[in-house]
Amino acid sequence: MKKIFFGLAMKAKILLPILLLLGFVSTQAYSQAKVGFKVSGGHYSFFSGKVDAIGQGAARLGVVGIIPFGQESESQFFLQGEANLSNVGAKLSYHMYGQDNISGITPLDVADYHLTMLNIPVSLGLKLNLNDEQALSFRAGLFLEVGLTGRVFLQKGSNATPIIYNAYTKGKTTQGQTDPYIFPFERITMGALCAVDYSINKNWIVGLELQQNITPGLMDNKIGGLNPVLRPYTFTVGATYLF
């Protein structure tokens, strides 16, 4: 119970600056605000020295809103918020522990995760106007990610039929069977982001973005005395169309 309250307090501590920032923005002139659609794709993997994690792809589709501060000049600050439907995948290999066999796990055991999440980033940026049409922008901020659905396909051995598990329920299938070697993803995670965007014209923006989880993407799960905690990161290339 104490661990749950501590986790909620940490998440509230991260969310509070976002809420205060949104409250500040509510006093700005919304006549300058722009909205549009954004599509992006790239690489999804993990920062960890303990596991053998194979990155896979990430695809996102969502809406974006941009609120500038003050009058437009050579440079201008802005707030950007998004809501993206995100599909990602990753593979974890159980020979990551450096042992040939831990409690019956062979080096050929592989878990393939397929996840669908709601990704909500909020970032503060600086726009440098190059001319009347083009601009270069730099952004940094925080994001919240909520798991919607997720499945993990566990391949036990080289010729075995994959077993399907819920990716958020500690290795429990719909039939109630449990596998202690499935690492479940946290349903709600948070992280930091940084991005570089280039405005081709008044409507189209292309850019690069890196998101790094602050909270673990997978829950602690002891195997052979080890406690792997994986923090996913996503590197994407995106295009935005503003109305």
Side-chain angles (χ1 to χ4, degrees), residues 220-235:
D220 294 353
N221 198 342
K222 292 185 178 180
I223 297 181
L226 296 176
N227 231 10
V229 179
L230 304 183
R231 287 180 168 82
Y233 72 92
T234 310
F235 179 78

Side-chain angles (χ1 to χ4, degrees), residues 130-131 133-137 196-201 204-208:
L130 305 178
N131 51 48
E133 291 286 331
Q134 300 170 324
L136 187 63
S137 301
V196 178
D197 300 314
Y198 177 70
S199 300
I200 301 175
N201 51 43
W204 285 101
I205 300 174
V206 295
L208 306 175

Side-chain angles (χ1 to χ4, degrees), residues 153-174:
F153 300 82
L154 178 63
Q155 179 75 41
K156 282 183 169 293
S158 58
N159 299 315
T161 302
I163 305 171
I164 301 175
Y165 293 92
N166 188 315
Y168 295 107
T169 56
K170 295 187 178 181
K172 291 184 180 179
T173 65
T174 54

Side-chain angles (χ1 to χ4, degrees), residues 24-25 28 32 66-80 123-129 136-140:
F24 171 76
V25 171
Q28 300 298 311
Q32 300 184 67
I66 300 176
I67 301 177
F69 298 152
Q71 298 298 318
E72 187 170 2
S73 59
E74 291 184 359
S75 62
Q76 187 178 34
F77 287 99
F78 64 92
L79 181 73
Q80 180 166 322
S123 55
L124 184 64
L126 176 63
K127 179 181 178 183
L128 304 175
N129 294 309
L136 187 63
S137 301
F138 302 91
R139 294 185 290 114

Side-chain angles (χ1 to χ4, degrees), residues 5-220:
F5 282 119
F6 177 76
L8 291 175
M10 290 298 295
K11 292 177 180 179
K13 189 175 181 180
I14 296 174
L15 281 176
L16 184 58
I18 298 178
L19 295 176
L20 292 175
L21 186 58
L22 291 176
F24 171 76
V25 171
S26 65
T27 64
Q28 300 298 311
Y30 282 91
S31 59
Q32 300 184 67
K34 296 182 179 181
V35 296
F37 293 106
K38 182 176 181 179
V39 60
S40 60
H43 184 72
Y44 182 84
S45 193
F46 301 91
F47 281 132
S48 178
K50 292 184 177 180
V51 302
D52 183 2
I54 306 171
Q56 288 185 314
R60 289 175 176 162
L61 176 64
V63 294
V64 57
I66 300 176
I67 301 177
F69 298 152
Q71 298 298 318
E72 187 170 2
S73 59
E74 291 184 359
S75 62
Q76 187 178 34
F77 287 99
F78 64 92
L79 181 73
Q80 180 166 322
E82 302 175 33
N84 303 302
L85 188 64
S86 179
N87 285 284
V88 301
K91 290 184 178 180
L92 302 178
S93 175
Y94 290 135
H95 69 267
M96 56 190 175
Y97 294 102
Q99 300 184 32
D100 292 334
N101 191 302
I102 302 176
S103 301
I105 299 179
T106 72
L108 297 176
D109 291 341
V110 174
D112 190 349
Y113 290 85
H114 295 174
L115 307 171
T116 299
M117 299 175 286
L118 178 63
N119 181 266
I120 307 175
V122 177
S123 55
L124 184 64
L126 176 63
K127 179 181 178 183
L128 304 175
N129 294 309
L130 305 178
N131 51 48
D132 291 339
E133 291 286 331
Q134 300 170 324
L136 187 63
S137 301
F138 302 91
R139 294 185 290 114
L142 302 173
F143 70 89
L144 177 72
E145 206 159 52
V146 181
L148 302 178
T149 63
R151 292 192 299 174
V152 53
F153 300 82
L154 178 63
Q155 179 75 41
K156 282 183 169 293
S158 58
N159 299 315
T161 302
I163 305 171
I164 301 175
Y165 293 92
N166 188 315
Y168 295 107
T169 56
K170 295 187 178 181
K172 291 184 180 179
T173 65
T174 54
Q175 291 76 31
Q177 298 174 339
T178 301
D179 193 313
Y181 310 113
I182 293 297
F183 301 135
F185 272 74
E186 292 277 9
R187 189 168 291 276
I188 299 178
T189 57
M190 296 178 184
L193 68 93
C194 61
V196 178
D197 300 314
Y198 177 70
S199 300
I200 301 175
N201 51 43
K202 296 295 184 181
N203 299 107
W204 285 101
I205 300 174
V206 295
L208 306 175
E209 183 173 287
L210 176 65
Q211 291 190 356
Q212 169 65 61
N213 278 54
I214 297 174
T215 56
L218 299 182
M219 298 177 184
D220 294 353

